[in-house]
Amino acid sequence: MNCRIVDMKNKEVINVEDGCRIGCVNDVEVDMKCARLVAIIVYGRLKCFGIFGREEDIVIKWENIEVVGEDTILVKYHPSCRRKKRFWWLPIIAKGWK
């Protein structure tokens, strides 16, 4: 199966270790000497709607990519895939309203 870099652009990246959705492919890293794909890059999440920038980008080496499917890419990714709870304060406010 052949796949263009443009086709990889919006594929969803899933961690096979815990089923966590990492994000969508936003960029790729290519070795210009060998003309081969080295890594895929998923941009970090926005902080406060982008006002405070974004989190660090996630770089996944080609060796850690398990399967490239039609819509998704399955990867082995270890460091800090645990996402922060988006609304950690919501249960605290809800408790006060009871």
Side-chain angles (χ1 to χ4, degrees):
M1 175 178 109
N2 291 335
C3 181
R4 295 174 157 190
I5 292 175
V6 174
D7 297 335
M8 292 187 74
K9 179 84 172 158
N10 292 320
K11 290 188 185 216
E12 196 170 14
V13 181
I14 307 289
N15 187 359
V16 295
E17 300 287 324
D18 59 0
C20 175
R21 180 186 180 278
I22 298 173
C24 290
V25 177
N26 296 108
D27 202 356
V28 294
E29 189 175 317
V30 178
D31 183 3
M32 297 302 285
K33 292 180 184 175
C34 304
R36 67 183 187 121
L37 190 66
V38 177
I40 59 175
I41 300 169
V42 177
Y43 291 158
R45 293 184 353 183
L46 296 175
K47 294 180 183 177
C48 192
F49 303 109
I51 296 171
F52 298 114
R54 63 173 65 240
E55 293 176 2
E56 233 179 273
D57 294 344
I58 299 169
V59 179
I60 301 169
K61 300 289 182 192
W62 184 254
E63 296 84 36
N64 295 332
I65 296 175
E66 295 290 314
V67 178
V68 177
E70 217 170 291
D71 298 324
T72 59
I73 299 174
L74 301 178
V75 300
K76 282 188 179 176
Y77 180 69
H78 300 289
S80 70
C81 182
R82 307 272 186 263
R83 296 287 188 188
K84 297 177 187 174
K85 291 184 180 177
R86 288 188 182 184
F87 303 108
W88 58 269
W89 46 267
L90 191 60
I92 296 169
I93 293 173
K95 269 187 184 177
W97 286 355
K98 288 184 180 181

